[in-house]
Amino acid sequence: MHEQEELKADVLVVGAGPVGLTLAMDLASRGVKVLVAETRRYAEPPNVKCNHVAARTMEQFRRLGVAQKLRDAGLPADHPNDVVFRTSVTGIELTRIPIPCRRDRYTETEGPDAWWPTPEPPHRINQLFLEPILLEHAAALPNVRMLNRTQVGDFEQDADGVTADATDLDTGDTRRIRCRYLVGCDGGSSGVRKRIGAKLEGTAVIQRVQSTYIRAPQLRALIPGKPAWSYYSVNPRRCGTMFAIDGHETWLVHNHLNAEEPEFDSVDRDRSIREILGVGEDFDYEVISKEDWVGRRLVADRFRERRVFIAGDAAHLWVPYAGYGMNAGIADAINLSWLLAACVQGWADERILDAYQAERQPITEQVSQFAMDHAQKMIRARRAVPSDIEAPGPEGDALRAEIGREAYDLNMQQFCCAGLNFGYFYMRSPIIVADGEPAPAYTMGDFTPSTVPGCRAPHLWLADGRSLYDAFGPGYTLLRFDRRVEIGALEKAAREARLPLAVLDVDAREIPRAYRHRLVLCRADQHVAWRGDRVPADAVALVAQLRGVAPPQ
């Protein structure tokens, strides 16, 4: 074993899952030099985990140039993305939540998942297909260098940066990495989180789940009616969930253990799978892989230690209801990226980085509570399945209709979660200028579009056919809804402070009612930072706050 040369970068990202790759892509797009350290080999397949890319995430992937590549991958273009509840996968249908297939995603307007006020609706795609596209895109960027089979160990911080030790897992060679910032995107057992002394707090066990990835070419022909993306099996023997992975022969089966089944090996995996699918002993399937996991609600007590940050599962873990584990991690990455870039580019003060924890930690706490509450309702529903749910005749039909209505009402907000996508907002942030109006409350399923500082700027289509977000600059963007408003003082203050400020005179056929002010100043991550009908008297002070230099006004 011998020492190798010291590697240098602006940012070292530990972990090349979707969160780490998104962070690297966004940093690189801003001219930041990034090293990504990953223990797996290059293009080693990920686990069969996330099945859903949220609209907010797709909006960011659009900006990063990978949205269409992702749309073209996953299930077949005409495969329905519906969620269906049945007495078993092959049994009697109880209810169905219609979700457009990817072929119709931009054009479908009917149904609870088709009205999204966004240029990029959600996309159902398994991480097996998602991650390789992100990896290929990130690895090809000139500012990104991948270090595969590399384990980052100890690191030390000083006033100017971080020095980390990295080991090549194949040769045992070590090298030092010198960077200005380090971000741990290294999952639930994050070594980075442990080294900065951050602790996960919350509920350690909510639900135990046996997950099995199977190949069953004969299964689709046994499922009656229209295919679906997700199948919920509801019967008194065994409740579970199944996701279509390739739309043909591969499936992911989740067996939800009951409270009196605390040990994974106490439950017969094969029998449970057959009861969830509704097939007999003569049905053949192949186990491709299996994973047992515990649903939790844990959020780190801090997301940062000076120049070292954590994001994604390293910072928060929760039951994957609403599909928001990976998506919340990507929101972390997008939030942190432009702040780090602002410091590397030299136009912001280091204090701007305080916004990351101030903004993201409360949101992850909220979302984790949404997910936990929904999980507990689902657990209660599974325990209340009546023994005669499969009974033939009018009485059985009436019972199934009632259970179907309850399942639809409970789960529509989970799978059509506009609130989680568009309703969350940042409060008490050092770089958001509050104006006294509270942001509107939101639920998992519903939200009210708003330009209250901290909210996502409501989407609109410009007269030239572009999305509003397509016209945003790389830093701050000032939306001007009345060209008569004089903005010279703000432009001058931004120019003298080197704060990147793009000005967009909004020309649109239809402007959402939420845009009640003539000026709305938006950040790189599409959240509103300030609004008003005229430039404030002290434009220099506003720019100072946006740069992280001055305290909130």
Side-chain angles (χ1 to χ4, degrees):
M1 185 171 68
H2 59 278
E3 289 283 334
Q4 293 185 338
E5 85 282 5
E6 182 176 85
L7 300 177
K8 294 184 178 180
D10 295 317
V11 179
L12 170 60
V13 177
V14 182
V19 175
L21 291 171
T22 301
L23 177 61
M25 289 159 54
D26 196 63
L27 287 168
S29 76
R30 303 176 188 282
V32 177
K33 295 189 180 303
V34 187
L35 287 172
V36 182
E38 168 60 52
T39 57
R40 291 175 294 166
R41 291 178 174 80
Y42 184 82
E44 184 176 325
N47 289 335
V48 190
K49 287 186 177 178
C50 178
N51 284 289
H52 171 240
V53 184
R56 275 300 279 150
T57 303
M58 289 300 292
E59 288 176 352
Q60 303 304 329
F61 286 156
R62 178 189 181 99
R63 184 174 53 80
L64 294 170
V66 291
Q68 192 56 53
K69 292 180 184 177
L70 293 173
R71 290 275 180 213
D72 293 340
L75 293 169
D78 61 349
H79 192 286
N81 284 185
D82 296 358
V83 177
V84 65
F85 288 75
R86 314 179 73 98
T87 54
S88 68
V89 169
T90 59
I92 306 168
E93 185 164 321
L94 305 172
T95 193
R96 178 179 291 259
I97 301 172
I99 298 175
C101 63
R102 61 182 175 89
R103 179 196 61 200
D104 303 333
R105 189 71 258 199
Y106 291 114
T107 56
E108 180 63 53
T109 58
E110 298 296 326
D113 195 61
W115 61 275
W116 301 85
T118 174
E120 293 292 345
H123 181 43
R124 267 72 186 184
I125 180 175
N126 189 268
Q127 192 169 331
L128 278 176
F129 305 111
L130 167 79
E131 190 175 301
I133 294 172
L134 299 183
L135 176 62
E136 181 182 20
H137 188 89
L141 296 173
N143 288 323
V144 174
R145 179 177 174 183
M146 305 295 301
L147 302 175
N148 286 92
R149 297 291 293 152
T150 297
Q151 178 79 57
V152 173
D154 290 334
F155 49 80
E156 295 181 352
Q157 301 190 57
D158 55 47
D160 301 313
V162 184
T163 303
D165 294 325
T167 301
D168 186 310
L169 295 176
D170 292 326
T171 67
D173 290 343
T174 62
R175 64 178 79 181
R176 307 197 87 186
I177 298 175
R178 179 66 179 173
C179 53
R180 286 186 61 174
Y181 305 101
L182 185 154
V183 186
C185 304
D186 49 341
S189 57
S190 170
V192 175
R193 182 186 66 238
K194 294 168 185 172
R195 287 184 180 89
I196 66 172
K199 294 180 173 57
L200 293 173
E201 298 176 341
T203 306
V205 179
I206 297 173
Q207 172 80 71
R208 288 181 170 85
V209 181
Q210 280 184 341
S211 290
T212 314
Y213 180 35
I214 67 172
R215 179 175 287 108
Q218 296 80 29
L219 181 58
R220 182 168 175 175
L222 298 178
I223 302 173
K226 183 182 176 184
W229 160 68
S230 177
Y231 298 83
Y232 275 69
S233 176
V234 182
N235 65 63
R237 300 174 299 280
R238 180 60 60 182
C239 291
T241 314
M242 186 184 80
F243 291 94
I245 302 301
D246 67 358
H248 300 292
E249 62 178 23
T250 54
W251 318 82
L252 180 62
V253 183
H254 294 321
N255 173 29
H256 304 290
L257 272 60
N258 296 316
E260 68 273 14
E261 299 169 328
E263 302 300 328
F264 290 110
D265 57 7
S266 67
V267 178
D268 188 317
R269 183 184 298 268
D270 174 70
R271 181 178 177 185
S272 297
I273 290 172
R274 294 182 187 280
E275 289 175 340
I276 291 168
L277 299 183
V279 297
E281 295 297 325
D282 58 341
F283 179 80
D284 291 327
Y285 68 89
E286 171 194 353
V287 174
I288 302 173
S289 64
K290 54 188 178 182
E291 181 181 3
D292 299 334
W293 49 275
V294 177
R296 313 178 186 278
R297 192 201 71 80
L298 299 171
V299 178
D301 59 353
R302 54 196 170 99
F303 287 12
R304 176 191 181 193
E305 171 61 32
R306 292 183 290 160
R307 292 179 171 269
V308 178
F309 302 79
I310 53 175
D313 284 356
H316 42 75
L317 293 163
W318 56 70
V319 197
Y321 284 97
Y324 251 68
M326 181 196 76
N327 291 288
I330 288 175
D332 294 342
I334 294 299
N335 180 283
L336 178 60
S337 176
W338 76 277
L339 300 173
L340 292 173
C343 293
V344 171
Q345 293 163 356
W347 60 264
D349 186 89
E350 293 276 340
R351 284 172 286 179
I352 199 173
L353 298 172
D354 294 342
Y356 174 61
Q357 179 169 304
E359 294 177 1
R360 290 304 303 166
Q361 190 180 37
I363 293 304
T364 53
E365 185 72 32
Q366 284 180 32
V367 174
S368 71
Q369 292 285 0
F370 276 136
M372 183 178 74
D373 290 347
H374 189 83
Q376 290 175 335
K377 290 175 183 175
M378 290 294 291
I379 290 169
R380 288 195 292 271
R382 284 195 291 269
R383 296 315 301 263
V385 176
S387 59
D388 53 349
I389 190 173
E390 295 163 299
E395 291 185 5
D397 292 341
L399 178 62
R400 286 186 287 273
E402 179 185 354
I403 293 173
R405 283 192 297 271
E406 293 172 353
Y408 185 95
D409 292 342
L410 177 58
N411 288 280
M412 193 269 286
Q413 60 178 329
Q414 175 192 172
F415 291 105
C416 308
C417 48
L420 288 190
N421 273 273
F422 310 124
Y424 69 87
F425 51 86
Y426 298 139
M427 297 175 60
R428 294 184 292 278
S429 169
I431 57 171
I432 285 176
V433 186
D435 61 8
E437 181 180 342
Y442 68 100
T443 65
M444 184 183 286
D446 297 308
F447 81 110
T448 302
S450 175
T451 60
V452 168
C455 293
R456 163 188 172 268
H459 181 258
L460 58 85
W461 291 104
L462 299 174
D464 61 11
R466 289 182 298 165
S467 160
L468 172 68
Y469 306 147
D470 295 342
F472 274 27
Y476 286 94
T477 301
L478 180 65
L479 307 182
R480 183 164 62 170
F481 293 88
D482 183 344
R483 292 173 184 262
R484 295 170 297 180
V485 179
E486 174 56 47
I487 59 172
L490 181 57
E491 290 180 299
K492 181 175 183 289
R495 187 166 55 251
E496 291 179 348
R498 294 196 302 126
L499 179 139
L501 177 66
V503 176
L504 177 63
D505 286 309
V506 178
D507 181 9
R509 292 178 191 156
E510 187 174 346
I511 295 175
R513 285 180 296 176
Y515 285 108
R516 295 183 284 106
H517 297 72
R518 295 192 295 173
L519 300 174
V520 177
L521 185 60
C522 303
R523 314 186 323 181
D525 61 356
Q526 301 156 357
H527 284 263
V528 175
W530 170 89
R531 63 181 179 173
D533 288 320
R534 61 186 63 84
V535 171
D538 193 346
V540 172
L542 172 60
V543 167
Q545 183 175 346
L546 299 176
R547 294 174 55 232
V549 175
Q553 298 178 28

